Amino acid sequence: MTDARYAVFGHPISHSLSPRIHAAFAQQFGQVVDYRAIDAAPAAFDAAVRAFFADSGHGANVTLPHKAAALALADEASEAARRARSANVLTRLDDGRLAAHNTDGDGLVRDLTARHEVDLRGHDALLLGAGGAARGVAWVLLDAGVRSLTIVNRTPAAADALADAIGEPGRVRTRYWDDLATIGSFDLILNATSAGVLGQALALPTALVGSRALCYDLSYGEAAFGFLAWARSSGALFAFDGLGMLVETAADAFALWHGQRPDTDAVYAALRG
Ligand code: NDP
């Protein structure tokens, strides 16, 4: 590893597990990484990022509420970032320009398929939410083989915009939040809303949960408690939070910056413990 600096930008950011995760990854290669959490209010984000990269910054993770701003300030963007219309990774290229990437979708699918050994092919999936995280994972779920994707968002226009952008009317549909009680059951239910982190409860009907359903909350820790409790009490076969996704997305960023993919299982187990 080099003297280059790394960081995660967010607001607030003190809760972030990213410095701990990247330190643990670096340790696997016998290295120490200079990776800090930087709190930047929205008005200060652009200048803070540019100052970081001007002062030997090589890579930055970006979290709420800056993911759209991160894409906007980058000079180039991967297909995943363009699709999601947001970036959670910024990398300084050799010529000084900034490249934006989004690892949310790959991280979720790797957590589901590699860690939890789920074969996504043929699943009928319900995606709750249509914000940055939902946009990051929707295409990748389809690429991974889910049979159908039903997108339901509190504000219907955002769900419609996401479905239109994907453009697969045979596999992707939207429904109103008020219709959740009557749209049938699903075998994969993903909570990509920020209700949990905002301390708000989602009133979800039990009937959504199919007999062998897997329910997954992209948030983790206390923020996921309500959704996971609802899933278990509704008869879900599996109920997972997004901690594994977080570790996988971090590993993708680490690999991008350092050219080596760390082992995620040990870090996941340590965080879970
Ligand atoms: P955004 O702010 O971009 O989107 C928030 C979404 O939640 C919108 O669809 C919004 O609906 C919906 N929402 C908020 N409150 C409610 C509510 N009370 N009832 C119903 N819907 C609600 O956030 P992100 O998409 O970036 O993040 C969403 C979640 O995903 C967060 O909890 C975040 O922590 C988690 N996440 C986890 C990752 C991981 O690695 N594990 C990575 C990325 C995100 P509306 O459009 O109506 O406002």
Coordinates of all heavy atoms in Angstrom, one line a residue, residues 8-16 37-42 62-66 197-198:
V8 N -13.9 8.4 3.7 CA -15.4 8.3 3.4 C -16.0 9.6 3.8 O -15.7 10.2 4.9 CB -16.1 7.1 4.2 CG1 -15.9 7.2 5.7 CG2 -17.6 7.1 3.8
F9 N -16.8 10.2 2.8 CA -17.4 11.4 3.0 C -18.9 11.2 3.3 O -19.6 10.4 2.6 CB -17.3 12.3 1.8 CG -16.0 12.9 1.6 CD1 -15.0 12.2 0.9 CD2 -15.6 14.2 2.0 CE1 -13.7 12.7 0.7 CE2 -14.4 14.7 1.8 CZ -13.4 14.0 1.1
G10 N -19.4 11.9 4.3 CA -20.9 11.8 4.6 C -21.3 12.9 5.6 O -20.4 13.7 6.0
H11 N -22.5 12.9 5.9 CA -23.0 14.0 6.8 C -24.3 13.5 7.4 O -25.4 13.6 6.7 CB -23.2 15.3 6.1 CG -23.6 16.4 7.0 ND1 -22.8 16.9 8.0 CD2 -24.7 17.2 7.1 CE1 -23.4 17.9 8.6 NE2 -24.6 18.1 8.1
P12 N -24.4 12.9 8.6 CA -23.3 12.7 9.5 C -22.4 11.5 9.1 O -22.9 10.8 8.3 CB -24.0 12.5 10.9 CG -25.3 11.8 10.5 CD -25.7 12.4 9.2
I13 N -21.3 11.4 9.8 CA -20.4 10.3 9.3 C -19.7 9.5 10.5 O -19.1 8.5 10.3 CB -19.3 10.8 8.4 CG1 -18.7 9.7 7.6 CG2 -18.3 11.7 9.1 CD1 -19.6 8.9 6.7
S14 N -19.9 10.1 11.7 CA -19.2 9.5 12.9 C -19.6 8.0 13.1 O -18.8 7.2 13.6 CB -19.5 10.3 14.1 OG -20.9 10.3 14.3
H15 N -20.8 7.6 12.6 CA -21.3 6.2 12.8 C -20.6 5.3 11.8 O -20.8 4.0 11.9 CB -22.8 6.2 12.6 CG -23.1 6.5 11.2 ND1 -23.1 7.8 10.7 CD2 -23.5 5.7 10.1 CE1 -23.4 7.8 9.4 NE2 -23.6 6.5 9.0
S16 N -19.9 5.8 10.8 CA -19.5 4.9 9.7 C -18.5 3.8 10.1 O -17.6 4.0 10.9 CB -18.8 5.8 8.7 OG -18.3 5.0 7.6
A37 N -12.7 9.2 8.2 CA -14.1 9.6 8.0 C -14.1 11.2 7.9 O -13.6 11.8 8.9 CB -15.0 9.1 9.1
I38 N -14.7 11.8 6.9 CA -14.7 13.2 6.8 C -16.2 13.7 6.7 O -16.9 13.3 5.8 CB -14.0 13.7 5.5 CG1 -12.5 13.2 5.6 CG2 -14.1 15.2 5.3 CD1 -11.6 13.6 4.3
D39 N -16.5 14.5 7.7 CA -17.9 15.0 7.7 C -17.9 16.3 6.9 O -17.2 17.2 7.2 CB -18.3 15.3 9.2 CG -19.8 15.5 9.4 OD1 -20.4 16.2 8.5 OD2 -20.3 15.0 10.3
A40 N -18.8 16.3 5.9 CA -18.9 17.5 5.0 C -20.4 17.8 4.9 O -21.1 16.9 4.4 CB -18.2 17.3 3.7
A41 N -20.8 18.9 5.2 CA -22.2 19.3 5.0 C -22.4 19.5 3.5 O -21.4 19.7 2.8 CB -22.5 20.7 5.7
P42 N -23.6 19.4 3.0 CA -23.8 19.4 1.5 C -23.1 20.6 0.9 O -22.5 20.5 -0.2 CB -25.3 19.5 1.4 CG -25.8 18.7 2.6 CD -24.8 19.0 3.7
V62 N -18.4 7.5 -0.6 CA -19.3 8.6 -0.4 C -20.6 8.0 0.0 O -21.1 7.0 -0.5 CB -19.5 9.3 -1.7 CG1 -20.5 10.5 -1.5 CG2 -18.2 9.9 -2.3
T63 N -21.2 8.5 1.1 CA -22.4 8.0 1.6 C -23.4 9.2 1.8 O -23.1 10.3 1.4 CB -22.2 7.2 2.9 OG1 -23.4 6.6 3.3 CG2 -21.7 8.0 4.0
L64 N -24.6 8.9 2.4 CA -25.6 9.9 2.5 C -25.1 11.2 3.1 O -24.3 11.1 4.0 CB -26.7 9.4 3.4 CG -27.6 8.3 2.8 CD1 -28.5 7.7 3.9 CD2 -28.4 8.8 1.6
P65 N -25.5 12.3 2.6 CA -26.4 12.6 1.5 C -25.8 13.0 0.2 O -26.3 13.7 -0.6 CB -27.2 13.8 2.0 CG -26.2 14.6 2.7 CD -25.2 13.6 3.3
H66 N -24.5 12.5 0.0 CA -23.7 13.1 -1.1 C -23.6 12.2 -2.4 O -22.8 12.5 -3.2 CB -22.3 13.3 -0.6 CG -22.2 14.2 0.6 ND1 -22.8 15.4 0.6 CD2 -21.6 14.0 1.8 CE1 -22.5 16.0 1.8 NE2 -21.8 15.2 2.5
V197 N -33.5 4.1 9.1 CA -32.5 5.0 9.7 C -33.1 6.3 10.1 O -32.5 7.0 11.0 CB -31.4 5.3 8.6 CG1 -30.5 4.1 8.3 CG2 -31.9 5.9 7.3
L198 N -34.3 6.6 9.6 CA -35.0 7.8 10.1 C -35.8 7.5 11.3 O -36.5 8.4 11.8 CB -35.9 8.3 8.9 CG -35.2 8.7 7.7 CD1 -36.2 9.1 6.5 CD2 -34.3 9.9 7.9

